[in-house]
């Protein structure tokens, strides 16, 4: 399956500066993905069903700056995409309330790429 | 928030032997979490709502043996828990069709722990 077979995607933007352990990062990304998927299922059911039916493509990218999460959230919302800004419960590794990542989508790849296409893969 | 505040959890069992990159592992765990959450929303809506309302606790654990995923899947199903065995689309790092992880739950912590409580955290 090549990248071009996917017309829908969900992107999770993570904070490079937090240097989370792989397990901790996986949990944060999964929080964002579940929240976004449920939000899109309600708000954009056709996008959600297309994405899920294709195999729920997910991409994890990174940003060096916390403030980027807030700016990207606004841009994604204006594009009509579901968003989920995740704060950690703070039981391990980082203080409670730390913003860890931002989920965007699922939505059409060309719309999502306009928001996150410039960010590097984790 | 202490661990005891959570009465429901979703666990993802990952394969230690695959040595996936952190980004790749996060995507696989998120696939399992989304699939399990949607499955539980349909099949065990009270468990799903309780889990999501608590803050969707997730735990990532590891197993050294692929065959454990199949055995754990059977045990979890017998316990009435949602399960999602994830196969990778195989675009990077590992061959297409590789089993990467198993999602279990969400469900009551005491039921989930009977299935996965012996496994080590990632």
């Amino acid at each position: 399956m090549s990248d071009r077979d996917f017309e829908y995607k969900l992107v999770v933007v993570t904070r490079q500066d937090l240097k989370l352990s792989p397990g901790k990062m996986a949990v944060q990304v999964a929080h964002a993905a579940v929240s976004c998927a449920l939000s899109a299922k309600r708000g954009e059911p056709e996008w959600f069903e297309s994405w899920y039916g294709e195999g729920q493509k997910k991409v994890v990218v990174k940003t060096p700056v916390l403030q980027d999460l807030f700016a990207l959230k606004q841009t994604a919302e204006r594009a009509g995409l579901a968003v989920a800004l995740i704060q950690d419960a703070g039981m391990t590794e980082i203080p409670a309330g730390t913003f860890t990542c931002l989920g965007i989508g699922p939505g059409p790849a060309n719309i999502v790429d306009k928001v996150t296409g410039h960010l590097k893969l984790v």
Side-chain angles (χ1 to χ4, degrees), chain A:
Chain A
M1 191 181 282
S2 81
D3 200 51
R4 278 170 293 184
D5 293 327
F6 290 99
E7 293 182 7
Y8 294 83
K9 64 167 75 167
L10 185 158
V11 173
V12 182
V13 185
T14 62
R15 280 180 61 187
Q16 196 175 354
D17 58 313
L18 291 180
K19 303 188 193 311
L20 300 177
S21 69
K24 182 89 178 179
M25 189 177 81
V27 166
Q28 304 299 312
V29 168
H31 286 343
V34 169
S35 295
C36 272
L38 292 168
S39 178
K41 194 171 193 289
R42 288 189 304 268
E44 293 288 349
E46 288 183 21
W47 287 357
F48 169 81
E49 294 297 341
S50 298
W51 168 76
Y52 200 65
E54 273 187 349
Q56 50 164 323
K57 181 179 170 76
K58 301 187 188 73
V59 179
V60 182
V61 298
K62 60 189 175 185
T63 177
V65 188
L66 166 62
Q67 282 71 22
D68 277 0
L69 295 190
F70 306 125
L72 289 164
K73 179 171 177 283
Q74 281 200 327
T75 309
E77 284 171 335
R78 277 194 217 110
L81 294 162
V83 295
L85 184 57
I86 303 302
Q87 281 186 286
D88 191 65
M91 290 178 287
T92 54
E93 296 190 33
I94 49 176
T98 301
F99 290 104
T100 56
C101 62
L102 173 72
I104 296 174
N110 63 328
I111 297 178
V112 177
D113 285 345
K114 279 183 192 157
V115 182
T116 63
H118 62 294
L119 296 168
K120 287 187 183 163
L121 292 173
V122 166

